[in-house]
Amino acid sequence: MALKASSSDNRTRSTVSLCIVIGMCCFFYILGAWQKSGFGKGDSIALEVTKRTDCTVVPNLSFDTHHSKASGNSSSLVSPSKKFKPCPDLYTDYTPCQDQNRAMKFPRENMNYRERHCPAQKEKLHCLVPPPKGYVAPFPWPKSRDYVPFANCPYKSLTVEKAIQNWVQYEGNVFRFPGGGTQFPQGADKYIDQLASVVPIANGTVRTALDTGCGVASWGAYLLKRNVLAMSFAPRDSHEAQVQFTLERGVPAVIGVLGTIKLPYPSRAFDMAHCSRCLIPWGANDGMYMMEVDRVLRPGGYWVLSGPPINWKVNYKGWQRTKKDLEAEQNRIEEIADLLCWEKVSEKGEMAIWRKRVNTESCPSRQEESAVQMCESTNPDDVWYKKMKACVTPLPDVKDENDVAGGAIKPFPARLNAVPPRIANGLVPGVSSQAFQKDNKMWKKHVKSYSSVNKYLLTGRYRNIMDMNAQYGGFAAAIESPKSWVMNVVPTIAKMPTLGAVYERGLIGIYHDWCEAFSTYPRTYDLIHASGLFTLYKTKCSMEDVLLEMDRILRPEGAVIIRDDVDVLTKVNSLALGMRWDTKMVDHEDGPLVREKILYAVKQYWVGGKQTAVA
């Protein structure tokens, strides 16, 4: 009997030991997962967010358009740390870095005064730029291409100055854009048809274009239906508001000028560049402006020039210039084009088209190095506030005379998800093809999650979209559609030069430092996306300044999606509530243990003047 009792005790002890071992394993497994997540450091805020957040439905946050003075109740864990007041109504179209009063203090030579000149920190506004009285949501695309509400951009100067050129007409409470232009009185479509008879637009070879001195960008607007994305720019006007009209139409554009500093785009970015009577002195400054176009033009890309001095023998009287002057100007342009190794492929009527060689090996004149001043910079994408120089940007070396410098690019849309040549060739440090493909897959997952919260994301409700920290353009690629376009911004302080790869995907974008204002008018974006932006700028400049700039460029009832660390987002949320944004924080797609969270926000509808809402 004693033997049996001993056997029973052993079995009991074995069972208890086994339970203890299993319990300890479970405990250490949970502990390991907890430590790996980075979650836990007394993070009661994250716990509370997890308890009170539904990751698939966002109650009390309305994405609908209704133009009420307040768009619902904010659902938040914190109170506003500060309430921001509206700026005076005179700031309704304020562009901080292209302010007219400040601009007049700078030299007019080479358009220096029209370039970016940003206010000092002590001069920055810390208030909300008011929409004009009567402001309404823009018409949906494609109606917005042809009609803009007068209240949103109440300036009639262009209807008078460009009346005979068919740019824009005022009809009742709207502006109508017939699609005309100085060089295409019969309409942009017919002009593009003429262009497409030479340039391969239809097959996807040409996807990205640069329009210098764009006017109201009818050229870019009508290219969109041919699946070509044009980055248009024009100077800040004192009365004409060309870029403002362009963005109200739902067409990509920024305030900009060819002046003394380099364009904020990477080298070898655009498939086509265009100037339609853009008034840029192409032959001046030793051909510096044509050389800058050459820098941003892709090997094999096209440059289109229409208007003076092309076909000067027929048109010199209408242009009110002498034959001698116009002939000298065209001869100078031809000389610079030869120096750049551009081949003239067409000249018909008032339109001339050149094509850039695919590599240096196919450029005979480059054998005479004394005739060409090559740029010394080892990084042709280092352009932020860098002086423009009259030098030719070198192309990457090739192994064969038929190879495309930098790598051949697939036609669009195949190039959208293909590995960009800059990454495939190892020109983006530390980024492999596998890393790019992983990133691409991740953004498809993120966008799927976004659209489950904001059901309007992929419907076309948001036409003008900005990604403030675009990296490889994964967000833009995941939502790519004719219904919308994305301005992919790569911060100048980003660790990797990725904007060139963004362009190689058939997307557009720009370099920018978010410690300064963006080169656009107020209320020009429908949705703003920012992933990791506030962590990136944590020690660089004020979070408040960045958020106020976001509010300036965001339309009333526009949406915001911000991804970042939970501690960072908690501070962002507090400031956002003080800016009249309705907000909701949700967990990461992979669950509550991930420190990264997503903040959704909607800017409330309010306007300046007597209708200004009381905060």
Side-chain angles (χ1 to χ4, degrees):
M1 293 296 293
L3 184 61
K4 289 181 181 180
S6 177
S7 177
S8 176
D9 290 342
N10 287 338
R11 283 197 299 272
T12 301
R13 282 194 295 270
S14 297
T15 301
V16 171
S17 299
L18 182 61
C19 290
I20 292 172
V21 170
I22 293 173
M24 292 293 288
C25 287
C26 291
F27 171 76
F28 284 113
Y29 175 82
I30 293 170
L31 179 62
W34 174 72
Q35 289 176 333
K36 186 178 181 181
S37 71
F39 187 78
K41 306 168 183 178
D43 203 344
S44 59
I45 294 175
L47 283 170
E48 191 63 18
V49 168
T50 301
K51 292 177 184 177
R52 297 177 56 174
T53 297
D54 184 337
C55 292
T56 57
V57 180
V58 184
N60 302 324
L61 183 64
S62 173
F63 296 102
D64 293 311
T65 299
H66 37 66
H67 295 338
S68 63
K69 290 186 179 180
S71 55
N73 298 319
S74 299
S75 178
S76 174
L77 304 178
V78 293
S79 300
S81 59
K82 178 179 181 180
K83 285 191 175 183
F84 297 91
K85 295 181 179 180
C87 305
D89 287 349
L90 62 91
Y91 290 103
T92 187
D93 289 323
Y94 183 51
T95 53
C97 295
Q98 285 90 9
D99 179 67
Q100 293 297 300
N101 294 328
R102 186 180 299 105
M104 300 311 295
K105 299 176 183 178
F106 290 86
R108 292 183 174 244
E109 184 182 3
N110 291 332
M111 298 292 283
N112 178 275
Y113 75 115
R114 289 293 190 194
E115 293 181 307
R116 289 177 57 85
H117 301 291
C118 299
Q121 182 63 36
K122 63 181 180 180
E123 297 174 358
K124 290 183 178 180
L125 299 180
H126 288 273
C127 52
L128 306 177
V129 174
K133 183 178 179 180
Y135 179 89
V136 296
F139 296 114
W141 183 266
K143 183 178 180 180
S144 66
R145 186 194 69 182
D146 302 329
Y147 295 96
V148 166
F150 172 76
N152 292 9
C153 193
Y155 307 107
K156 297 182 182 178
S157 299
L158 281 180
T159 64
V160 178
E161 294 186 17
K162 304 296 181 181
I164 63 172
Q165 296 168 11
N166 225 19
W167 278 30
V168 57
Q169 299 170 356
Y170 175 63
E171 299 178 354
N173 62 350
V174 299
F175 289 109
R176 187 171 74 87
F177 296 83
T182 308
Q183 287 303 126
F184 34 94
Q186 294 181 315
D189 258 339
K190 289 190 176 181
Y191 178 85
I192 294 171
D193 284 341
Q194 179 186 348
L195 180 61
S197 67
V198 179
V199 178
I201 291 175
N203 65 3
T205 299
V206 170
R207 163 64 176 178
T208 56
L210 179 69
D211 194 9
T212 56
C214 63
V216 294
S218 286
W219 185 72
Y222 280 81
L223 275 173
L224 284 165
K225 68 180 183 180
R226 304 181 193 230
N227 223 12
V228 175
L229 268 177
M231 170 71 80
S232 302
F233 70 80
R236 168 69 157 89
D237 307 289
S238 58
H239 58 286
E240 294 177 353
Q242 297 175 50
V243 168
Q244 189 175 23
F245 274 128
T246 299
L247 287 156
E248 283 293 320
R249 298 176 72 184
V251 179
V254 293
I255 301 171
V257 64
L258 267 171
T260 66
I261 59 175
K262 294 182 178 182
L263 294 173
Y265 312 113
S267 61
R268 311 191 314 278
F270 297 97
D271 300 311
M272 175 170 56
H274 173 258
C275 163
S276 173
R277 205 167 188 175
C278 61
L279 305 180
I280 294 171
W282 294 111
N285 300 314
D286 298 321
M288 180 171 69
Y289 298 138
M290 289 178 67
M291 292 174 182
E292 179 64 359
V293 169
D294 181 75
R295 182 186 69 82
V296 301
L297 196 61
R298 186 162 293 147
Y302 296 85
W303 186 56
V304 182
L305 176 63
S306 66
I310 306 303
N311 201 18
W312 59 269
K313 293 179 182 179
V314 175
N315 296 300
Y316 73 95
K317 289 183 179 179
W319 293 336
Q320 298 180 342
R321 292 174 62 185
T322 66
K323 287 184 178 181
K324 184 178 180 181
D325 179 34
L326 287 163
E327 182 180 18
E329 183 179 344
Q330 177 147 359
N331 288 341
R332 182 58 180 150
I333 289 173
E334 301 279 6
E335 289 173 6
I336 298 167
D338 287 342
L339 187 68
L340 294 170
C341 277
W342 293 356
E343 177 190 6
K344 182 182 267 191
V345 294
S346 175
E347 183 174 336
K348 186 177 180 181
E350 295 175 18
M351 180 189 292
I353 303 173
W354 285 264
R355 190 180 186 212
K356 181 176 177 177
R357 301 291 180 121
V358 297
N359 58 47
T360 305
E361 299 297 320
S362 61
C363 178
S365 67
R366 292 289 169 83
Q367 308 307 318
E368 302 176 10
E369 291 297 327
S370 59
V372 181
Q373 178 66 42
M374 305 301 290
C375 298
E376 297 178 356
S377 173
T378 57
N379 182 6
D381 295 353
D382 181 18
V383 295
W384 189 245
Y385 286 124
K386 295 296 190 297
K387 288 290 184 181
M388 200 185 304
K389 297 180 180 179
C391 61
V392 179
T393 301
L395 289 173
D397 294 332
V398 294
K399 296 179 180 179
D400 186 89
E401 63 180 12
N402 295 317
D403 290 345
V404 178
I409 298 175
K410 295 180 179 180
F412 193 85
R415 70 171 77 168
L416 182 65
N417 292 302
V419 179
R422 294 182 201 227
I423 292 177
N425 296 335
L427 299 180
V428 181
V431 182
S432 65
S433 296
Q434 293 74 20
F436 169 81
Q437 290 166 338
K438 182 179 179 181
D439 180 83
N440 208 27
K441 184 177 179 181
M442 177 189 72
W443 278 109
K444 289 179 180 178
K445 175 183 175 181
H446 288 338
V447 166
K448 183 178 180 181
S449 177
Y450 292 164
S451 60
S452 70
V453 175
N454 185 342
K455 62 183 179 180
Y456 296 113
L457 178 62
L458 304 177
T459 66
R461 156 77 183 282
Y462 307 113
R463 173 68 186 171
N464 302 357
I465 299 175
M466 174 180 285
D467 190 355
M468 297 177 71
N469 187 17
Q471 201 170 19
Y472 316 121
F475 169 73
I479 66 170
E480 202 285 320
S481 164
K483 297 176 182 178
S484 63
W485 57 269
V486 179
M487 181 68 72
N488 292 282
V489 183
V490 172
T492 56
I493 65 170
K495 293 181 180 179
M496 295 176 289
T498 56
L499 190 56
V502 170
Y503 272 92
E504 289 176 341
R505 302 186 72 172
L507 304 169
I508 58 172
I510 195 168
Y511 290 113
H512 183 67
D513 182 355
W514 286 111
C515 291
E516 299 180 358
F518 193 73
S519 293
T520 192
Y521 285 84
R523 305 171 301 281
T524 44
Y525 285 87
D526 304 300
L527 184 144
I528 298 176
H529 177 261
S531 176
L533 182 81
F534 290 96
T535 292
L536 179 66
Y537 276 92
K538 199 170 185 179
T539 61
K540 302 298 181 182
C541 52
S542 165
M543 179 185 289
E544 179 178 308
D545 286 344
V546 177
L547 282 165
L548 284 171
E549 177 61 5
M550 292 172 69
D551 183 80
R552 184 185 74 89
I553 67 179
L554 184 66
R555 297 189 191 279
E557 299 184 314
V560 178
I561 304 173
I562 306 174
R563 305 180 70 90
D564 223 311
D565 182 82
V566 62
D567 291 340
V568 173
L569 279 191
T570 301
K571 296 176 184 176
V572 170
N573 189 34
S574 177
L575 289 168
L577 293 173
M579 298 192 307
R580 310 185 194 189
W581 289 9
D582 296 327
T583 67
K584 187 71 176 182
M585 199 186 305
V586 307
D587 289 328
H588 189 279
E589 296 87 350
D590 292 339
L593 295 183
V594 181
R595 285 191 59 84
E596 183 179 76
K597 307 294 178 186
I598 302 99
L599 183 71
Y600 293 89
V602 176
K603 180 178 176 178
Q604 295 177 11
Y605 177 84
W606 63 277
V607 296
K610 295 180 181 179
Q611 295 184 17
T612 300
V614 178

